[in-house]
Amino acid sequence: MSGRSLSPRINALLAAVLFGAGTPFAKVLLGTVDPLVLAGLLYLGAGLGAALLLAVRRGVSDVPLVPKLGARERLALGGAVLAGGGAAPILMMYGLRATPAGTASLLLNFEVVATTLIAAVAFHEAIGRRVWIAVTLVTTAACLLAWRPGEPWGLSVGVVGIIGACALWGLDNNLTRLVSTADPMTIVCVKGFGAGTIAFALAAVVGAHVPAVRASVMAIALGSISFGLSIALFVRALRDLGAARTGALFGTAPFVGALISWAVLGETPDATALVSLPLMATGVFL
């Protein structure tokens, strides 16, 4: 395999590691920061980090805040900001607050399913039989993780929030694919500030509590790495691999988050997590 063909896969895997590591640390911050505010701070961090890198690389005057895109591409980027930047992280933060970080991390594999299905159905990407088998395995494992016999409909509110976030991120991935030829850092800048503004506006409407300075700085720093740098690497991978295959490689992110949750946060995986883990791992491998 040539270095050129390997590079997009490395970008996708690095993006997965950075994003996956963010889930358990976001769970910690949720102990002191309102979910809406945390979503805003994470994406603000992504936007600020991207803006800083743009300034260092080219100079602010030489880099437009909004990339030069056609009407269709501008519509796609706007949809990606609303779906993946605005609604998805808010659902994720509320879902994460009510769900163990390890379980939530594994549930994020449903993003692979959503990305693949949307890529195949709406954008007509070529999906082989092996990928469909993989999607079936991941979906089965996600259903096991999501099942809560004591809850109405067998699902907890937290799990529904996480699955909803994954579906929106799947749409985001496919829409971002349409603008992936633009500068990745510029895309991160637009998505970060756009999504952060949406979250902060909603937080102001509901009167969310303003967090302490230390917690805010930690959230911004986490967002710049786990969201900002991760999105930039993901966009680079999208250019060469397409949404379905990049999403499949990105499916390693939940395992990173789960391992950190169990090893660092001291969470103990339950029986469904232990059963789901090999199913998901096989699906991602395929």
Side-chain angles (χ1 to χ4, degrees):
M1 183 178 292
S2 66
R4 184 171 181 178
S5 64
L6 183 62
S7 181
R9 290 166 174 78
I10 293 176
N11 287 335
L13 289 171
L14 285 176
V17 170
L18 293 175
F19 184 76
T23 300
F25 292 116
K27 173 74 173 180
V28 174
L29 288 171
L30 280 171
T32 55
V33 183
D34 180 88
L36 279 173
V37 177
L38 181 56
L41 289 171
L42 289 172
Y43 267 98
L44 175 62
L48 288 173
L52 178 61
L53 288 175
L54 286 173
V56 170
R57 191 178 65 190
R58 299 181 186 175
V60 175
S61 60
D62 297 328
V63 181
L65 179 61
V66 180
K68 295 179 180 179
L69 303 171
R72 181 169 177 264
E73 293 170 316
R74 288 197 298 271
L75 185 62
L77 182 56
V81 170
L82 290 174
I90 293 172
L91 285 175
M92 178 63 188
M93 291 304 109
Y94 276 108
L96 183 57
R97 187 168 65 173
T99 308
T103 300
S105 294
L106 290 178
L107 278 170
L108 287 177
N109 267 302
F110 194 75
E111 181 181 343
V112 177
V113 175
T115 300
T116 303
L117 291 177
I118 294 172
V121 175
F123 296 93
H124 308 294
E125 281 194 23
I127 306 298
R129 183 175 62 181
R130 188 174 68 176
V131 175
W132 285 119
I133 294 173
V135 166
T136 301
L137 288 172
V138 172
T139 302
T140 301
C143 289
L144 288 173
L145 284 171
W147 179 247
R148 296 291 185 274
E151 300 285 345
W153 300 96
L155 293 172
S156 70
V157 175
V159 166
V160 171
I162 295 169
I163 291 176
C166 289
L168 289 169
W169 271 321
L171 176 60
D172 174 15
N173 294 339
N174 282 279
L175 292 174
T176 302
R177 173 73 175 89
L178 300 178
V179 296
S180 61
T181 55
D183 179 71
M185 279 300 168
T186 305
I187 293 176
V188 173
C189 198
V190 173
K191 292 182 74 171
F193 286 124
T197 300
I198 294 171
F200 284 134
L202 291 174
V205 169
V206 301
H209 176 70
V210 178
V213 174
R214 180 181 178 185
S216 297
V217 171
M218 292 175 65
I220 290 173
L222 178 62
S224 67
I225 297 172
S226 182
F227 278 37
L229 185 54
S230 176
I231 293 172
L233 291 168
F234 188 86
V235 171
R236 288 185 180 276
L238 279 173
R239 292 176 178 177
D240 299 309
L241 299 178
R245 286 166 179 77
T246 304
L249 289 168
F250 197 73
T252 55
F255 301 109
V256 175
L259 290 174
I260 292 176
S261 300
W262 298 333
V264 178
L265 302 186
E267 292 186 355
T268 302
D270 57 18
T272 55
L274 294 176
V275 173
S276 299
L277 186 60
L279 289 176
M280 286 191 167
T282 303
V284 172
F285 174 77
L286 288 175

